[in-house]
Amino acid sequence: MEQLNSVILRGIIGNARIQNIGDTEMARFSVATDHAFKNRSGEAVIETTWHQVTAFKSDRMPDFTTLVRGAGVEVKGRLRNNRYTDSNGVERTMTEILASQVSVLGGALQ
């Protein structure tokens, strides 16, 4: 059986931070995605999920200065779990998307 770790997200950028790690430019940004459904009462509910994305500069990445709050974006990549100890000494796990391709989308997302 082939194993696969692949993610495609299309959403709206929340915050974005660009930094240099040695000679490599890196962007960390959040992407909001929505899931619409009706609850048991028949009322429409929109559930927003925030995803953390990490991208390293490559030919499959846009100019990172275009990754701005409110921009539509499509991210292709894989899930990665990071373990760390917070300031209170509690071990935590964070899931992020390690991007292999990022596209900034024009117009409104449907």
Side-chain angles (χ1 to χ4, degrees), residues 8-36:
I8 299 174
L9 292 176
R10 188 174 298 136
I12 304 294
I13 295 176
N15 60 32
R17 187 175 74 240
I18 301 166
Q19 61 190 96
N20 290 316
I21 310 250
D23 294 338
T24 305
E25 191 175 33
M26 179 182 79
R28 287 187 181 224
F29 56 99
S30 59
V31 175
T33 58
D34 290 336
H35 174 71

Side-chain angles (χ1 to χ4, degrees), residues 14-16 18-19 21 27-28 31 43 46 53-54 59 64 67 71 97 104 110:
N15 60 32
I18 301 166
Q19 61 190 96
I21 310 250
R28 287 187 181 224
V31 175
E43 300 167 332
I46 297 177
V53 178
T54 300
D59 58 344
F64 284 161
L67 301 176
I97 290 91
V104 177
Q110 299 290 326

Side-chain angles (χ1 to χ4, degrees), residues 89-108:
V90 177
E91 187 171 304
R92 299 196 180 271
T93 301
M94 178 187 84
T95 301
E96 68 179 338
I97 290 91
L98 184 57
S100 59
Q101 183 176 351
V102 175
S103 301
V104 177
L105 306 174

Side-chain angles (χ1 to χ4, degrees), residues 58-93:
S58 76
D59 58 344
R60 299 185 76 176
M61 298 295 166
D63 178 1
F64 284 161
T65 61
T66 63
L67 301 176
V68 296
R69 179 183 212 96
V73 70
E74 182 175 272
V75 176
K76 295 179 182 180
R78 66 181 176 89
L79 293 175
R80 179 169 72 174
N81 292 319
N82 290 321
R83 288 195 175 103
Y84 65 96
T85 304
D86 69 13
S87 59
N88 296 323
V90 177
E91 187 171 304
R92 299 196 180 271
T93 301

